[in-house]
Amino acid sequence: MTEQLIEALLDGDHRALARTITKIENRSPGYRDLVSELHAHTGHADVIGITGSPGAGKSTLVDKLAKAYRDQDLTVGVIAIDPSSPFTGGAVLGDRIRMASNVGDMDVFFRSMSARGTLGGLSTATTDAVKALDAFGKDKILVETVGAGQNEIDIVRTADTVTVLVPPGSGDDVQMLKAGILEIADLFVVNKADLPGSDRTVQELREMLGMRDRETRGHHGVGTPGMNDAVERNDGDWTPPIVETVANDGTGVDDLLDALADHRDHLESSGQLEARTRSRYAAEIRQLLREDANALLAEELDARGGLDAFVQQVLDRESDPYSVADELVAPIEECVRERRND
Amino acid sequence: MSADEAQRTIRCLVAKVGLDGHDRGAHVIARAFRDAGFEVVYSGLHRSPDEIVQAAVQEDVDVLGISILSGAHNTLVPKVIDGLAEYGALEDTLLIVGGIVPEEDREDLREMGVAEVFGPGASMKEMIAYVREHAPER
């Protein structure tokens, strides 16, 4: 089943690609094998992330970018993520409505995704879905995040180039000092540049960029090192350009294309592309390790009669959380050490 | 392993096809499906049958709900069905039609492959229950 699906996908079957992404999203049995198999065929696509606040014009801009790449005879994959309901898990996925320029063009593969409860602006399945599009042979993959505010920065774990849309009137210069989404931009787009206040927004972004201390930036990635998912972004030689666009009528899209191409060249010539890819894979492995270790522990916990009994012991002061953790992990630790010494 | 367990969510495409500008019903249904825990892709207005097929295939939806109030169902629905068949997507997509469809046309639509037709007065509860029960096993 998996083999057939992979074969059909590599053969250019749209439905196989769609079904593969569904399996990844649903974490259907066998999806891990599927993604493992796909990996060997990936590494060719240029992955561009588009993020910004709700209504900033992400979908419309993605539509225009997709069209522009198609005009260059490149194939395009799009993944657009919308939020899911915290109550029912349901979602209305409305990004597709904006894809007016690519109607009937099957070489733009557009897939809507629900965040399925994830809060970082992507779904947990997004990275793997990007792999499916990459293996399928898409030249450009555009990933549009959930409408993001200040802290939804998961896109750095998936995209080679992160584009942050800032609508005019996004707040004063203090907003620009804040950590988070503005730090992850490889380029800024001030969309709706025909609206009043856009000059000022451009000016404030420019001032913010001027204040960046390249020395310190050179040594820090996003977050802190260690067993977390921090992604290295120490790119001191690149100053994010600010592009003004009006996505609705296509104004500035050519400038954006140039800026994206410049960044791609920079990534390749500076060795950053490899560095970023490395750090992304490292983060991915760490995350999988954590998930798998968690699953293993959950299994062990079930086998020992579930968590409730331990909670009761803690409540009755017969045990404490640390001892319980030690007790549960000890047999696993023992096994691992024994195997390692063999 | 527990992480592999089905987190299956029913995916629907709610589609407006042809020259039909009435989408209040489609919006209400999209919202009701969302509240039922489905993932709903909404097509937007005035889509051609080809666009609907493209969306249904790429989004890999379990359910395709076509809303037609223009009376053109006998022309548009077969085109969608042919398109789905071309991509091998007809068999495992639950196809339902909603809107104004005269009684005498319903049987024809069913024969073509439409699973059910919902007219005015159909309750949300009924439709959601129908979708839950008939969403294809994959």
Side-chain angles (χ1 to χ4, degrees):
Chain A
M1 183 62 202
T2 301
E3 271 166 36
Q4 283 167 337
L5 198 58
I6 298 261
E7 213 169 283
L9 183 149
L10 296 176
D11 206 30
D13 181 344
H14 290 98
R15 193 156 159 72
L17 173 59
R19 186 53 54 90
T20 300
I21 296 177
T22 306
K23 281 184 178 295
I24 290 170
E25 269 202 292
N26 287 342
R27 294 169 156 254
S28 307
Y31 92 96
R32 292 174 72 117
D33 296 339
L34 203 57
V35 182
S36 305
E37 286 287 321
L38 287 173
H39 184 78
H41 304 278
T42 60
H44 309 292
D46 179 18
V47 185
I48 299 167
I50 315 277
T51 188
S53 53
K58 296 183 293 296
S59 304
T60 310
L61 197 63
V62 163
D63 177 49
K64 292 294 192 299
L65 279 179
K67 177 80 175 95
Y69 284 130
R70 288 296 294 135
D71 290 344
Q72 298 175 14
D73 265 336
L74 298 167
T75 57
V76 180
V78 180
I79 293 177
I81 301 123
D82 268 328
S84 56
S85 161
F87 304 112
T88 66
V92 171
L93 311 174
D95 293 325
R96 204 178 176 98
I97 300 176
R98 315 276 171 234
M99 294 301 290
S101 311
N102 299 286
V103 158
D105 181 0
M106 269 307 228
D107 284 325
V108 177
F109 189 98
F110 187 100
R111 180 66 174 236
S112 316
M113 265 190 174
S114 144
R116 299 211 176 170
T118 307
L119 294 178
L122 300 181
S123 138
T124 41
T126 307
T127 305
D128 289 338
V130 166
K131 285 187 187 173
L133 287 168
D134 189 348
F136 187 82
K138 294 298 185 192
D139 300 311
K140 298 281 177 183
I141 300 173
L142 307 174
V143 180
E144 180 191 332
T145 71
V146 170
Q150 298 181 311
N151 208 20
E152 291 87 344
I153 56 166
D154 277 1
I155 187 68
V156 297
R157 307 195 214 295
T158 297
D160 300 320
T161 300
V162 174
T163 308
V164 176
L165 266 69
V166 185
S170 287
D172 61 12
D173 47 355
V174 177
Q175 293 294 341
M176 300 289 179
L177 294 175
K178 291 186 178 174
I181 199 163
L182 293 176
E183 286 180 284
I184 63 168
D186 296 309
L187 45 106
F188 288 101
V189 173
V190 176
N191 190 35
K192 307 190 185 182
D194 52 340
L195 290 184
S198 85
D199 290 351
R200 187 160 168 218
T201 301
V202 170
Q203 193 52 42
E204 277 164 356
L205 281 171
R206 203 163 280 147
E207 279 169 25
M208 176 200 73
L209 292 172
M211 273 191 274
R212 282 191 180 180
D213 184 339
R214 293 197 176 180
E215 290 300 310
T216 50
R217 252 179 80 72
H219 296 287
H220 295 288
V222 171
T224 47
M227 266 302 273
N228 62 21
D229 296 331
V231 173
E232 287 285 325
R233 293 294 253 208
N234 49 355
D235 201 354
D237 301 331
W238 174 259
T239 302
I242 303 164
V243 183
E244 292 175 74
T245 61
V246 183
N248 255 339
D249 63 13
T251 306
V253 170
D254 287 341
D255 297 338
L256 177 56
L257 285 173
D258 291 344
L260 285 167
D262 285 349
H263 187 249
R264 180 78 195 179
D265 289 345
H266 165 77
L267 284 178
E268 281 171 7
S269 62
S270 67
Q272 270 292 314
L273 188 63
E274 202 198 309
R276 283 187 179 192
T277 310
R278 267 174 194 282
S279 113
R280 270 208 310 269
Y281 285 143
E284 204 182 330
I285 293 169
R286 281 191 215 110
Q287 188 184 339
L288 280 175
L289 281 175
R290 238 189 343 260
E291 281 175 19
D292 289 359
N294 267 340
L296 188 65
L297 282 169
E299 195 186 305
E300 175 66 9
L301 199 54
D302 274 350
R304 303 261 219 121
L307 192 60
D308 284 350
F310 291 105
V311 171
Q312 192 62 48
Q313 287 175 22
V314 172
L315 204 59
D316 296 339
R317 300 293 183 274
E318 286 166 16
S319 184
D320 64 282
Y322 285 95
S323 306
V324 170
D326 285 346
E327 190 185 332
L328 284 166
V329 173
I332 297 173
E333 213 176 302
E334 213 170 283
C335 290
V336 173
R337 296 231 161 99
E338 242 168 60
R339 284 283 289 272
R340 198 187 303 143
N341 293 333
D342 276 350
Chain B
M1 197 173 75
S2 61
D4 265 352
E5 252 163 49
Q7 298 182 7
R8 183 164 186 259
T9 305
I10 295 178
R11 281 171 71 88
C12 310
L13 172 63
V14 173
K16 288 296 302 182
V17 62
L19 296 173
D20 167 4
H22 301 274
D23 59 355
R24 182 71 58 88
H27 285 186
V28 171
I29 282 164
R31 173 69 195 262
F33 279 5
R34 185 200 91 182
D35 289 342
F38 304 168
E39 286 177 4
V40 187
V41 180
Y42 178 52
S43 72
L45 280 171
H46 308 307
R47 300 296 143 169
S48 71
D50 284 351
E51 284 173 69
I52 303 298
V53 170
Q54 183 185 9
V57 170
Q58 293 186 346
E59 301 289 355
D60 195 24
V61 289
D62 305 286
V63 184
L64 169 55
I66 306 178
S67 158
I68 305 185
L69 295 102
S70 64
H73 46 268
N74 288 336
T75 321
L76 296 170
V77 173
K79 287 186 181 165
V80 172
I81 288 176
D82 290 349
L84 289 177
E86 193 185 318
Y87 284 100
L90 185 58
E91 287 151 46
D92 60 359
T93 305
L94 180 71
L95 182 61
I96 54 181
V97 171
I100 311 294
V101 179
E103 198 58 51
E104 61 264 32
D105 290 348
R106 295 188 176 193
E107 200 44 48
D108 293 344
L109 289 180
R110 286 199 189 95
E111 268 167 34
M112 282 175 215
V114 174
E116 192 55 270
V117 179
F118 294 93
S123 83
M124 286 299 161
K125 237 176 143 183
E126 185 192 334
M127 286 177 50
I128 288 164
Y130 182 88
V131 166
R132 281 221 173 94
E133 192 178 330
H134 293 90
E137 281 299 321
R138 286 173 168 176

